[in-house]
Amino acid sequence: MRTNAKGRLAILFADGTQVRMGRNTTLVVRSINTSADSQLEKIDNVLNAQP
């Protein structure tokens, strides 16, 4: 997922993980898993991520 210079994004995944992304941010979702840790790769500027 990617935001531009004006964008922000809030995501709630099925496993309950919450992510808030700021402007000019790229986030790669490797996997979402309810029985183990989800795998997210922050590329730049993620504001907050909570499992």
Side-chain angles (χ1 to χ4, degrees), residues 1 11 13 19 27-32 38-41:
M1 293 169 263
I11 307 160
F13 292 99
V19 176
L27 178 73
V28 177
V29 179
R30 298 286 180 205
S31 70
I32 299 297
S38 297
Q39 296 180 4
L40 307 174
E41 180 181 340

Side-chain angles (χ1 to χ4, degrees), residues 1 3 5 7-10 14 16-17 20 22 24-25 27 29 31-33 35-36 38 40 43-44 47-49 51:
M1 293 169 263
T3 59
R8 291 186 178 199
L9 180 64
T17 300
R20 290 187 176 96
N24 296 316
T25 302
L27 178 73
V29 179
S31 70
I32 299 297
N33 192 335
S35 61
S38 297
L40 307 174
I43 304 300
D44 194 20
L47 295 176
N48 193 7

